Amino acid sequence: NAGVTQTPKFQVLKTGQSMTLQCAQDMNHNSMYWYRQDPGMGLRLIYYSASEGTTDKGEVPNGYNVSRLNKREFSLRLESAAPSQTSVYFCAARRDRGRTSGGVGVGTQYFGPGTRLLVL
Amino acid sequence: QKEVEQNSGPLSVPEGAIASLNCTYSDRGSQSFFWYRQYSGKSPELIMSIYSNGDKEDGRFTAQLNKASQYVSLLIRDSQPSDSATYLCAVNTPGGADGLTFGKGTHLIIQP
């Protein structure tokens, strides 16, 4: 049970290049999220997907596209990378039903290990 | 605009003492509250969740929620150097993305 996985762990791009960040979860949760984290800015929501086949914009969607390929996978694409997109990107899956024996319930988000992206 | 406010710190606490981390939120419709710990270069890791007013204890951690004051806190008893990290407060308000709004985090340093 790996939880949430992300690839790659680290990437360097030149301005204008494109890339796709991959995310997969094995927890069978419906909702998935992409965040970016920048110093002093906290975690900001880029896009989210409430269920397979649906996606919606978050707080900072410009310059990004997403695909919810199936229930497990949610990818983030940068079509033409810019230095302002240098950041750490986290994918998360949200518990949408039930509660664990430890009292962890609906709304909890589980994060992947992150992708560090540097755009030169 | 939903806001979650935390003191950025750093908060320095001697080893063995109680660390107290605080968070306020703006949206009265918020229903679920979470504390995440984030070590440098790592992803956020869930420490505690709390859904109703009062205290919730889990080992050395106690989360406290006061919805009337729109305030949530995290107490860490018997602080250890391994508790040194950034602690993120997160709030879930139903609707829209049905996701979490995060504070910017409090940097906690436990001094040996």
Side-chain angles (χ1 to χ4, degrees):
Chain A
N1 189 345
V4 180
T5 58
Q6 291 183 238
T7 56
K9 291 183 179 179
F10 182 71
Q11 184 72 45
V12 179
L13 291 179
K14 295 180 180 179
T15 296
Q17 288 185 318
S18 62
M19 78 162 296
T20 299
L21 284 65
Q22 306 287 352
C23 174
Q25 54 111 355
D26 63 2
M27 296 178 290
N28 202 35
H29 294 327
N30 286 311
S31 300
M32 297 183 72
Y33 301 79
W34 275 105
Y35 294 91
R36 60 179 289 175
Q37 187 174 39
D38 304 289
M41 299 296 291
L43 282 158
R44 293 182 292 170
L45 181 64
I46 305 171
Y47 268 94
Y48 67 99
S49 171
S51 61
E52 180 180 350
T54 68
T55 60
D56 276 293
K57 296 178 180 179
E59 179 185 356
V60 288
N62 291 344
Y64 306 95
N65 285 300
V66 290
S67 296
R68 183 73 182 269
L69 305 172
N70 46 54
K71 192 171 187 178
R72 291 188 64 249
E73 298 172 290
F74 187 36
S75 63
L76 179 72
R77 182 161 178 83
L78 287 70
E79 292 290 352
S80 180
S84 61
Q85 294 178 304
T86 293
S87 187
V88 181
Y89 292 86
F90 291 106
C91 177
R94 176 185 180 272
R95 172 179 287 274
D96 45 30
R97 60 188 179 278
R99 186 170 287 207
T100 69
S101 57
V104 176
V106 173
T108 303
Q109 291 194 14
Y110 302 93
F111 286 83
T115 295
R116 293 183 174 276
L117 177 65
L118 175 61
V119 183
L120 301 175
Chain B
Q1 181 78 7
K2 303 170 189 174
E3 293 183 348
V4 177
E5 299 287 342
Q6 296 181 254
N7 189 321
S8 62
L11 174 64
S12 185
V13 174
E15 183 176 358
I18 296 175
S20 178
L21 305 166
N22 303 314
C23 171
T24 58
Y25 60 95
S26 63
D27 192 329
R28 285 195 173 274
S30 301
Q31 296 187 357
S32 309
F33 307 86
F34 306 86
W35 283 100
Y36 286 83
R37 177 177 63 199
Q38 187 174 26
Y39 293 115
S40 180
K42 301 295 185 181
S43 61
E45 170 193 13
L46 181 72
I47 297 296
M48 294 282 290
S49 60
I50 187 166
Y51 300 89
S52 55
N53 278 331
D55 295 359
K56 179 182 178 183
E57 186 174 320
D58 184 1
R60 296 187 296 112
F61 299 95
T62 299
Q64 299 174 318
L65 174 62
N66 184 327
K67 289 186 178 180
S69 299
Q70 295 175 243
Y71 177 91
V72 58
S73 65
L74 179 70
L75 301 178
I76 307 174
R77 291 182 299 280
D78 188 24
S79 297
Q80 302 297 311
S82 59
D83 295 325
S84 297
T86 296
Y87 288 79
L88 305 174
C89 175
V91 174
N92 171 248
T93 305
D98 208 4
L100 297 177
T101 302
F102 286 86
K104 294 180 180 179
T106 297
H107 183 203
L108 175 66
I109 299 172
I110 306 301
Q111 294 182 325

